[in-house]
Amino acid sequence: MNLSQEQWWDGSQNDTEAVILDVRTAEEWNDGIIPGAIHIDIYKGQAFIDELESLDKAKNYYVYCRSGVRSGNACNIMGQLGFANAYNLSGGIMGWTGPVVQPEGE
């Protein structure tokens, strides 16, 4: 499900079951992240699937990438894997006006 920035951020901050998921590359991740994000690079192929499978499927995932395309794909994959809720940030971090921080070492 695609959400506007406001819906996505409000949801991620007010949902006790929320997990923010960044599916960009390591280089993009190092340019700055939305606070609290975890990182799983969608370009890792099977490793991406394997890492998703290790997550709690009952939680609510707020997913983003650079423009919203990869995170939209990630949400679809998550749905196929049985995740209850995966929310895509429309426009990705390129259109993000909320907080961005430098990631601590992965």
Side-chain angles (χ1 to χ4, degrees):
M1 173 188 294
N2 292 314
L3 297 180
S4 69
Q5 275 192 55
E6 186 174 299
Q7 293 168 313
W8 190 93
W9 181 246
D10 286 350
S12 70
Q13 298 305 295
N14 297 314
D15 179 349
T16 58
E17 295 296 313
V19 177
I20 298 175
L21 176 60
D22 183 325
V23 297
R24 299 175 302 157
T25 65
E27 292 78 20
E28 290 171 310
W29 165 265
N30 288 326
D31 286 341
I33 64 167
I34 294 174
I38 62 170
H39 181 230
I40 305 176
D41 183 349
I42 194 169
Y43 288 149
K44 287 184 175 176
Q46 187 59 47
F48 175 71
I49 303 294
D50 293 343
E51 288 189 53
L52 287 179
E53 290 284 14
S54 73
L55 300 175
D56 182 347
K57 293 181 181 177
K59 294 208 179 276
N60 301 318
Y61 291 86
Y62 293 81
V63 188
Y64 73 95
C65 66
R66 189 176 68 84
S67 66
V69 175
R70 283 174 285 172
S71 50
N73 291 337
C75 288
N76 290 336
I77 291 167
M78 293 171 82
Q80 292 169 11
L81 294 174
F83 284 82
N85 295 299
Y87 304 109
N88 183 36
L89 174 59
S90 290
I93 202 168
M94 279 191 343
W96 180 246
T97 57
V100 174
V101 297
Q102 283 305 116
E104 296 179 20
E106 274 201 273

